[in-house]
Amino acid sequence: MAAPPKFPAPVVHSVRDLERELKHIIPPPQDPVELSILTAVLSSPASVMEADKKWDFAGLFSKLSSEIQAEQELQEHEKEVLEERPQTSASAAKVPRSPDQLL
């Protein structure tokens, strides 16, 4: 049996190293950038910050599943009611026979 391949560990650069490299890559603008137009329409950080909420995947999945199931049962019930109605020649053309025709 062959030994598993060995991969070198990825090099993780520090923020200080990245900032130092960034200064050499991006030249400073020749003209000053006017940001007053942008800052005039931005919302304050306090108005856009929300508290972190932990996601309960099982609860969300259960809720969504039950909503989908209830919707399917309603559609089946409506279909059964429509199929049980006695059809006459005059009303047969007006009464939809499938849930798709209800829309």
Side-chain angles (χ1 to χ4, degrees), residues 23-34:
K23 288 179 184 178
H24 299 291
I25 295 173
I26 301 175
Q30 299 297 325
D31 297 325
V33 178
E34 180 60 40

Side-chain angles (χ1 to χ4, degrees), residues 12-25:
V12 179
H13 298 285
S14 69
V15 174
R16 186 174 297 151
D17 292 339
L18 294 173
E19 287 177 349
R20 189 176 329 122
E21 290 178 20
L22 187 62
K23 288 179 184 178
H24 299 291
I25 295 173

